[in-house]
Amino acid sequence: MTWTEIGWVIIGLGAVSLLLFNFLFARRGRYVVRPQPAVRSFLKRRMHAFERGEINQVLLGSRLWSRAYPALGLHALSVASGLAGLEPGALEAQLIAVGTGELALFARQIYQGTYRDGYSSALNLALTGPTPYAFLAGFLAEMHLHPSGAVGLFGNFDQMGALIMEAVADQGGRPFAAAGSINAQAALFLTTRDLLIGEEIFFLPGLFDSSPGYQAAWISEDLLRVALLALLVIAAGLKMAGII
C-alpha cells in the first residue's frame, strides 16, 4: 500500500466516522470534550453583565477574509451564530463591532434571524473601521459610550487586538479573546488572561452550540489523531527494523 492510498483510507475513515457519530449523537449521548474554563468564565461574565445592565461587546474582526488566514472571518460569524442561539432574549443589550461592510451584513442577518419576525430595532451594530488602526480607534470611541461588560474578540485581528484588550481591562471590562494571526495570539498571550490559542479557537462554536454535528466532528478528529500517531509509531518501528 502506497502513502497515497493510506491518505485516502484516512480520509475515508474520517468521512465514515463523521456520518456514524452524527447519527449516534442525534439519537442520544454526548461527547465530553476537553474542558475550557476560559469559555465558561466568559459566558458567566456575559450573564452577570446582562443582570447589571451593562453592554456586552462582541468584536468580529477588522475584515472578513485575509490571504494568510482566510477562515478566521467565517469562524467569527460561526461564533456569532452560537452566541445568538445561547441568549436570544438578551441580544439587544450588546454591541456588535465589525470592520467591513460584508461582516456587518452577515452579522446583522445572523442576529436578526434569532428575533421574532427577523427584526430588532435595538440591535447595536457598529462599523468601526476597515483597517486595523481605524478599527482600534472606532471601537475605543464606541467603548467609551457604553458601560463595558464582557468583551469577546473573534475573527481577523493583528497586534491591535492586544491594545483593545488592554483598553477594555483599563475600563473595568472583562476581556476574552479567541482570534487573530499568530502574531496577534502571541501579543494577546502576554496581556489577556482568558484566551484561546491555536486549534482551541476552532472548538469555540461547538462549545456554544452542542449540536450532533459538532460532537461528531470532535470525536472523529480525536480518533483520527490517535490513528495517525499509531501509524507514525508503527512506521518508525518498521523503518528501524529495515522492513520499509
Side-chain angles (χ1 to χ4, degrees):
M1 180 177 288
T2 65
W3 288 111
T4 301
E5 293 172 339
I6 293 175
W8 279 111
V9 169
I10 293 174
I11 293 173
L13 288 175
V16 171
S17 62
L18 278 174
L19 294 174
L20 175 63
F21 288 114
N22 196 8
F23 173 76
L24 293 177
F25 288 136
R27 296 171 64 100
R28 69 173 186 272
R30 187 175 184 272
Y31 181 59
V32 181
V33 298
R34 292 175 286 275
Q36 296 291 349
V39 176
R40 293 198 298 268
S41 176
F42 172 62
L43 295 177
K44 289 180 180 178
R45 288 172 177 176
R46 281 176 60 87
M47 187 56 61
H48 292 163
F50 286 137
E51 294 172 352
R52 290 191 297 265
E54 297 173 342
I55 299 296
N56 287 321
Q57 296 159 349
V58 179
L59 288 73
L60 298 183
S62 58
R63 57 193 180 276
L64 176 63
W65 183 88
S66 67
R67 186 179 298 275
Y69 302 95
L72 283 179
L74 296 177
H75 172 265
L77 292 173
S78 65
V79 170
S81 178
L83 287 175
L86 278 177
E87 301 154 348
L91 295 178
E92 296 177 355
Q94 65 181 334
L95 172 70
I96 317 301
V98 297
T100 57
E102 61 267 32
L103 267 176
L105 173 63
F106 291 136
R108 181 172 291 277
Q109 289 177 338
I110 288 172
Y111 277 94
Q112 287 187 344
T114 64
Y115 290 95
R116 185 176 180 179
D117 299 326
Y119 176 76
S120 172
S121 60
L123 179 63
N124 297 317
L125 182 62
L127 186 61
T128 52
T131 66
Y133 290 101
F135 188 94
L136 173 63
F139 175 73
L140 292 180
E142 290 287 342
M143 185 179 66
H144 288 293
L145 297 176
H146 308 282
S148 294
V151 180
L153 182 70
F154 313 104
N156 272 299
F157 282 96
D158 56 12
Q159 293 88 332
M160 295 296 105
L163 297 179
I164 291 175
M165 294 291 98
E166 286 189 1
V168 169
D170 291 340
Q171 291 292 322
R174 290 158 291 278
F176 169 79
S181 62
I182 298 299
N183 293 334
Q185 293 180 36
L188 288 166
F189 185 78
L190 300 175
T191 59
T192 305
R193 178 179 179 180
D194 291 337
L195 172 68
L196 299 184
I197 60 176
E199 69 171 5
E200 295 176 341
I201 292 175
F202 296 97
F203 275 90
L204 192 56
L207 294 175
F208 294 155
D209 177 15
S210 57
S211 62
Y214 283 114
Q215 304 288 312
W218 284 335
I219 193 171
S220 298
E221 179 186 356
D222 288 344
L223 288 175
L224 289 177
R225 183 184 286 115
V226 172
L228 287 174
L229 289 174
L231 179 63
L232 290 174
V233 171
I234 293 172
L238 294 176
K239 185 70 174 180
M240 293 175 63
I243 298 176
I244 59 174

